[in-house]
């Protein structure tokens, strides 16, 4: 899935470019060159598939390439996103960075000089869309992915309980709701808000309030439960200081006959029991509140929009006015008369003429 490049095989400048641009080096390790790691990866993928779990990292890369195949800039439409950084001293216009053959996008080897530039470019594209991903995963009330009944964010496919008083499923449910509490309060990388330092769960008030309510319900010491949950998030899964790395999280997809719970106080939807406490208002969740995922989806407009699983449609819109500098070029591209440019990326679908 990823470019297999050994870091030590790159020259010094390439290594510096990787480090300065903060590319996740795990993308660059040659995992599939080692048989033992390849076997571990296969086991993990099988376990995730069995639990209907998919890595957000995998989904994100798929979305990026799907947008590129449509001729859409995955980094966004704003002027600042039209050039993609590929090294510390070089940016490339996004349409030049890629090439299209038979409707499929790929890196343009004339613009990408080595594998480190490819990794830096793709990392910068990911970082551009992660704020949008974060808002969809953790939007409040009716706007999060969990509220749609489609899926909910989990920290891993499965996790063992570190407390004897809690089963594996109970502990996993509490950790997953803690992840959602952190996300709902914008504690994730590439968040548009300033993230204050925490140095423990107690300084994150919403998380502390949620975990204290769970501890009271389960008859556990507040500090014991809070510390164990935070240790799992920070130490085991490396979401340092409770700041989530979105690509390292996963989604567990729901079936229509799966159980769901809607809080009777604030109407927040949970696709798991959440330790028996609502992650939003901290009211108790009861088994009597149980309903099916199908009922949740039938009342959510986002779910209804996705029912048909329609293919994405590209719609590049431009204006044509008396102030347009390149009037003839825009008319030509609107008519589909594309010369040396890539037709996929340059053709105009809708022209607004005034």
């Amino acid at each position: 899935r990823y470019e297999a490049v050994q870091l030590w095989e790159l020259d010094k400048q390439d290594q510096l470019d990787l480090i300065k641009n903060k590319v996740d080096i795990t993308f660059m390790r040659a995992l599939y060159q080692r048989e033992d790691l390849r076997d571990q990866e296969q086991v993990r993928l099988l376990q995730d598939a069995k639990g209907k779990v998919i890595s957000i990292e995998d989904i994100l890369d798929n979305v990026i390439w799907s947008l590129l195949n449509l001729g859409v800039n995955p980094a966004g439409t704003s002027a600042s996103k039209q050039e993609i950084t590929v090294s510390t001293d070089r940016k490339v216009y996004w349409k030049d960075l890629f090439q299209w053959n038979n409707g499929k996008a790929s890196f343009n080897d004339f613009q990408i000089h080595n594998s480190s530039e490819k990794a830096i470019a793709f990392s910068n594209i990911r970082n551009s869309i992660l704020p949008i991903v974060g808002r969809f995963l953790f939007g409040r009330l009716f706007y999060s992915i969990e509220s749609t009944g489609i899926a909910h964010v989990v920290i891993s496919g499965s996790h063992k309980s570190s407390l004897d008083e809690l089963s594996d499923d109970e502990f996993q449910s509490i950790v997953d709701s803690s992840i959602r509490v952190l996300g709902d309060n914008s504690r994730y990388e590439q968040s548009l808000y300033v993230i204050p330092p925490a140095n423990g769960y107690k300084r994150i008030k919403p998380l502390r309030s949620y975990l204290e309510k769970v501890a009271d319900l389960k008859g556990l010491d507040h500090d014991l439960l809070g510390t164990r949950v935070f240790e799992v998030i920070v130490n085991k899964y490396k979401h340092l200081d409770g700041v989530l790395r979105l690509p390292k999280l996963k989604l567990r997809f729901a079936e229509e006959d799966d159980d769901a719970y809607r809080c009777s106080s604030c109407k927040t939807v949970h696709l798991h029991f959440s330790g028996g406490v609502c992650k939003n208002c901290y009211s108790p969740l009861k088994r009597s509140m149980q309903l099916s995922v199908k009922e949740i989806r039938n009342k959510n407009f986002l779910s209804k929009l996705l029912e048909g699983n329609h293919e994405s449609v590209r719609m590049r819109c431009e204006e044509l006015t008396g102030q347009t500098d390149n009037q003839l070029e825009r008319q030509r591209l609107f008519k589909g008369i594309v010369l040396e440019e890539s037709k996929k990326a340059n053709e105009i679908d809708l022209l607004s003429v005034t």
Side-chain angles (χ1 to χ4, degrees), residues 213-231:
K213 289 291 185 180
V214 174
D216 290 340
L217 184 67
K218 303 294 184 181
L220 298 171
D221 178 74
H222 289 183
D223 196 46
L224 176 63
L225 178 63
T227 301
R228 292 292 178 86
V229 168
F230 204 68
E231 282 177 350

Side-chain angles (χ1 to χ4, degrees), residues 123-137:
S123 177
N124 285 322
I125 292 173
R126 286 192 197 97
N127 291 339
S128 295
I129 64 176
L130 279 174
I132 302 171
V133 173
R135 291 198 298 272
F136 177 58
L137 293 177

Side-chain angles (χ1 to χ4, degrees), residues 5-48:
V5 176
Q6 299 287 7
L7 184 61
W8 53 86
E9 290 179 353
L10 303 175
D11 61 36
K12 184 173 290 186
Q13 185 57 49
D14 290 343
Q15 293 183 31
L16 288 173
D17 286 346
L18 280 170
I19 294 168
K20 287 179 181 178
N21 285 274
K22 299 180 181 179
V23 174
D24 191 342
I25 301 302
T26 56
F27 283 119
M28 303 297 294
R29 289 178 183 152
L31 293 179
Y32 300 102
Q33 291 181 1
R34 286 181 53 187
E35 196 68 35
D36 58 333
L37 291 178
R38 188 156 65 242
D39 291 343
Q40 291 176 24
E41 180 72 1
Q42 289 173 353
V43 170
R44 183 191 68 78
L45 289 172
L46 287 171
Q47 289 176 339
D48 285 354

